[in-house]
Amino acid sequence: MKILVMIKQVPDTATQVKIGPDGKAIDTAGITWIVSPYDEYALEEGLRIKEKRGQGEVVAVALGPDRVKEALRSCLAMGADRAIHLNDPAWERADTLMTARALAAAIKQEAPALALFGRQAIDDDMGAVGAAVAELLGWPCASWIMEESVDEAGKAIRVGRQVEGGLELFDLPLPAVVSAQKGLNEPRYPTLKGIMGAKKKEIKDVKAADLGLTAEAPALSVIKLETLPPRPPGRIIQGEAADAAKELVRALREDAKAI
Amino acid sequence: MAGSFWCLVEDDRQGNPKKVMAEVLGEAGRLASQAGGQAEAVWLTDKATEAGIKQLGEWGAKRVLLLENPAFAPYRGEVWAPVLAELCLKESPQAFFGAVTARQREAMARLAARLGAGLSADSTALALEDGTLVATRPVYAGKLLSKMTWAKMPWLATLRPNVFKPADSQQGAVAPVEKPAVTLPAAVMSLVERREDSSTGLPELAEAEIIVSGGRGLKGPENFAILESLAKAIGAAVGASRAAVDAGWRPHRFQIGQTGRTVSPKLYLGFGISGAIQHLAGMRTSKVICAINKDPEAPIFKIADYGIVGDLFEVAPLLEQEFKKLLEK
Ligand SMILES: Cc1cc2nc3c(=O)[nH]c(=O)nc-3n(C[C@H](O)[C@H](O)[C@H](O)COP(=O)(O)OP(=O)(O)OC[C@H]3O[C@@H](n4cnc5c(N)ncnc54)[C@H](O)[C@@H]3O)c2cc1C
């Protein structure tokens, strides 16, 4: 069974982000990059499916500039068999739709049984690419899954999708798209052997033309990035615990009108 | 119709629109009146109630497009998206808004792909600038705001619950109901079962107006009872930091933050939470933030409106008493 896992390289959340000179993107100088955490859950699940079945192939796919190779390399170190890097200036301003079109075209070429995504990338938090890809491919899709099992024949997947107030268990015929929610698994750390082995694994560069795509105007574009408006300074309520509690409740009612 | 600001109805699966719809319809109505248009509701459901339809009218929907069919429940993207797209192509709405809920964030993403339109997910502000919609979205763990705009209509957006001002209920306002005929695609996914979360008797996290939240400072799962008791007294939901969740003290669904839920209550009370950037990402748009932490240097105090430096085990029960006194008045 072939499994594709779509991953995105994002700034580490602890990194300072500064607005770049054009005011529309961040200044990438000095940023520490990581694989978006939800994508790690997706990759881990892909690896587990393969291990459980005792056969199959896990392919990591990412779209972005040269630096993204490093993220793909760490997926290979975790255990992915090979990687595909969608790397073309045509995708420089890729929005959700353009990204989804590129990934859908790559998935179509590879024809896997399962396309795994993270629930959202933690840079722009749009959380729409997985479902958009499913729509473009005409595949069923379950978002925010907390558990899954693939049937023995490799023809269907049962997933638990997190919804308000509960978990909905669905059967999806394969091929299908699913997106990983935290709680699905605990991603492994790459072993030293994995890291060494990753150097020999293939990362294939794919251009837009290879997928029959050309540059297009984004459907949704950034006008500008802004820093947060400053929050008014807070107030530390001093005094004995009993007095402080009393004063806090008073302030919440009378000053903040929050209760 | 140009000028139509559509709102996808989120319901309680019993035929009533959820409270978040007052916010979505309120915002759609506000923008539509500036654009010389009107807010309209689009409702895909297996059953609608008269009361539910009436509610939509009172929240400002000037028309309800009702699609009532067993095929719409449970939500399945392969059924919903083509139907929504067909409606959009027939009626060309100017905008189509949803709420950030499990099904709507997925349905809207599929619809956007199908229409080749832009989607601003989890928007926290919307405004018309020179006749074009501009959305504001928190990005990079809420450290920056991104202002975004669309290349074409319909402007698709999902709205973060509890952020937008709810519509004032107009008693007696009645929205005409239309039942458009659509092609129903065959469902591909099949529901095996629905497992309900064990009920806490407290409000749902994403919709709660008040959230009491606990972190590693609680020291163990049993101590969440202290927060639950406080929460009961004030009608709050109970959330948790990732440290508390990863320690196994609370189920994942209660985690607030970048890798958990994003919440935006009127009042957020954090107990024994340090305020890591990833936690702030999930609660920073709360209107009033209070922190109770024994460390005066804890970063949460930097964004808190009110803070008490102290032992939560002492302060939480005292707060509960004080809130009770206040609410009994
Ligand atoms: C990729 C990534 C994603 C993440 N996503 C999330 C997320 O979604 N949500 C999230 O919360 N975290 C997330 N984290 C983790 C985050 O970085 C912090 O580790 C976590 O939020 C810390 O939880 P905490 O505040 O409960 O614990 P700590 O940081 O350990 O803080 C405990 C606090 O309790 C106080 N305290 C202790 N005892 C008492 C007492 N008796 N009375 C009062 N105060 C007391 C201490 O002073 C301290 O400030 C993420 C991290 C990464 C790397």
Side-chain angles (χ1 to χ4, degrees):
Chain A
M1 186 167 150
K2 192 198 273 190
I3 299 167
L4 255 60
V5 185
M6 274 38 77
I7 64 129
K8 186 173 184 186
Q9 190 189 43
V10 298
D12 187 343
T13 36
T15 304
Q16 283 266 353
V17 291
K18 288 198 296 281
I19 299 172
D22 71 348
K24 296 182 184 194
I26 56 162
D27 181 354
T28 52
I31 288 212
T32 316
W33 299 94
I34 58 167
V35 174
S36 185
Y38 292 111
D39 301 344
E40 289 190 333
Y41 301 127
L43 177 59
E44 175 64 34
E45 203 62 19
L47 295 171
R48 287 187 190 191
I49 293 171
K50 177 186 155 182
E51 285 160 3
K52 205 164 149 198
R53 300 180 73 77
Q55 51 95 11
E57 188 186 28
V58 176
V59 186
V61 184
L63 180 146
D66 290 340
R67 60 171 158 79
V68 169
K69 286 240 159 40
E70 194 193 326
L72 286 170
R73 198 64 73 191
S74 67
C75 294
L76 296 173
M78 264 177 82
D81 298 293
R82 63 188 169 90
I84 297 173
H85 184 187
L86 308 184
N87 184 6
D88 193 310
W91 291 312
E92 208 173 335
R93 288 173 39 195
D95 64 345
T96 304
L97 194 59
M98 238 188 283
T99 305
R101 282 186 178 140
L103 293 173
I107 293 168
K108 214 170 190 170
Q109 276 194 353
E110 288 285 332
L114 187 62
L116 280 161
F117 291 77
R119 118 185 176 194
Q120 67 197 60
I122 61 156
D123 51 358
D124 67 6
D125 284 324
M126 199 67 93
V129 169
V133 165
E135 188 61 37
L136 295 172
L137 293 170
W139 290 7
C141 167
S143 301
W144 291 46
I145 67 158
M146 298 287 285
E147 57 182 65
E148 62 73 29
S149 64
V150 174
D151 74 339
E152 217 164 304
K155 294 264 182 280
I157 187 168
R158 176 165 295 186
V159 301
R161 130 180 131 182
Q162 193 182 69
V163 298
E164 289 78 15
L167 199 72
E168 290 176 344
L169 258 66
F170 275 96
D171 281 336
L172 283 68
L174 296 176
V177 168
V178 302
S179 79
Q181 161 68 324
K182 177 176 181 279
L184 179 60
N185 56 45
E186 211 32 72
R188 68 194 68 187
Y189 288 101
T191 58
L192 189 61
K193 187 162 157 259
I195 295 168
M196 297 311 287
K199 292 182 182 151
K200 288 187 233 98
K201 291 179 181 169
E202 182 202 7
I203 301 182
K204 186 169 117 190
D205 255 319
V206 172
K207 302 282 163 213
D210 300 333
L211 300 172
L213 298 171
T214 49
E216 48 183 311
L220 189 78
S221 48
V222 179
I223 305 170
K224 62 176 171 189
L225 289 178
E226 287 177 353
T227 51
L228 296 183
R231 250 190 123 90
R235 179 181 155 211
I236 298 287
I237 297 171
Q238 311 285 354
E240 288 298 311
D243 299 334
K246 192 174 214 154
E247 170 55 14
L248 176 58
V249 170
R250 186 208 62 77
L252 287 176
R253 161 61 62 99
E254 289 171 21
D255 306 342
K257 305 201 168 34
I259 183 156
Chain B
M1 228 181 0
S4 303
F5 282 65
W6 281 6
C7 303
L8 185 58
V9 175
E10 184 66 28
D11 62 44
D12 61 0
R13 298 185 294 128
Q14 310 297 327
N16 303 294
K18 282 196 171 180
K19 181 183 100 188
V20 67
M21 290 318 297
E23 298 158 25
V24 179
L25 279 162
E27 184 64 12
R30 191 180 68 78
L31 294 165
S33 67
Q34 289 170 29
Q38 61 183 35
E40 302 179 347
V42 177
W43 196 358
L44 274 56
T45 177
D46 58 337
K47 64 162 181 246
T49 61
E50 281 307 316
I53 293 168
K54 182 161 166 270
Q55 180 70 82
L56 293 171
E58 293 187 342
W59 280 337
K62 297 286 186 265
R63 183 167 75 130
V64 177
L65 296 177
L66 179 62
L67 293 98
E68 210 174 355
N69 193 297
F72 293 128
Y75 159 78
R76 280 161 301 192
E78 74 274 16
V79 179
W80 279 47
V83 167
L84 295 173
E86 188 182 326
L87 290 176
C88 285
L89 293 174
K90 255 188 218 154
E91 301 236 1
S92 307
Q94 186 161 345
F96 199 170
F97 298 156
V100 181
T101 62
R103 59 192 191 177
Q104 292 209 8
R105 66 183 166 236
E106 188 194 284
M108 282 298 196
R110 291 193 74 137
L111 175 64
R114 204 170 174 96
L115 296 175
L119 165 69
S120 168
D122 199 15
S123 315
T124 55
L126 294 167
L128 285 166
E129 293 180 12
D130 302 325
T132 307
L133 192 65
V134 174
T136 303
R137 313 183 51 251
V139 291
Y140 298 102
K143 285 181 269 190
L144 297 175
L145 296 174
S146 179
K147 300 245 162 163
M148 313 205 70
T149 196
W150 287 257
K152 66 166 198 181
M153 292 176 196
W155 303 319
L156 304 178
T158 53
L159 281 58
R160 182 177 291 188
N162 279 335
V163 171
F164 293 86
K165 189 173 167 293
D168 298 320
S169 198
Q170 301 148 33
Q171 295 300 321
V174 179
V177 177
E178 284 175 32
K179 300 185 174 176
V182 290
T183 320
L184 263 190
V188 179
M189 298 168 49
S190 54
L191 182 69
V192 181
E193 66 170 297
R194 188 185 149 98
R195 285 189 217 141
E196 300 295 331
D197 294 334
S198 54
S199 173
T200 52
L202 300 170
E204 159 68 21
L205 207 49
E207 285 203 347
E209 297 209 334
I210 307 179
I211 291 176
V212 174
S213 181
R216 206 192 317 261
L218 262 92
K219 305 219 158 58
E222 66 286 357
N223 293 328
F224 268 88
I226 301 170
L227 298 191
E228 274 166 5
S229 170
L230 168 60
K232 272 210 182 85
I234 56 178
V238 177
S241 75
R242 177 163 177 170
V245 167
D246 285 358
W249 302 348
R250 301 296 280 176
H252 284 286
R253 64 178 193 274
F254 295 114
Q255 184 183 317
I256 292 172
Q258 187 166 38
T259 45
R261 307 284 287 272
T262 303
V263 297
S264 208
K266 258 165 68 181
L267 176 57
Y268 176 95
L269 294 146
F271 292 85
I273 291 181
S274 61
I277 188 77
Q278 298 91 349
H279 188 77
L280 304 187
M283 43 66 74
R284 155 175 259 156
T285 51
S286 305
K287 276 170 208 84
V288 177
I289 298 172
C290 293
I292 289 83
N293 194 304
K294 65 179 184 191
D295 174 9
E297 303 297 319
I300 193 150
F301 287 124
K302 290 209 187 82
I303 69 153
D305 301 289
Y306 297 98
I308 295 180
V309 178
D311 182 356
L312 73 92
F313 296 102
E314 191 184 354
V315 177
L318 289 167
L319 278 173
E320 183 179 335
Q321 273 177 30
E322 292 299 329
F323 277 126
K324 277 185 174 152
K325 272 193 230 159
L326 176 82
L327 297 172
E328 273 159 18
K329 265 187 212 159

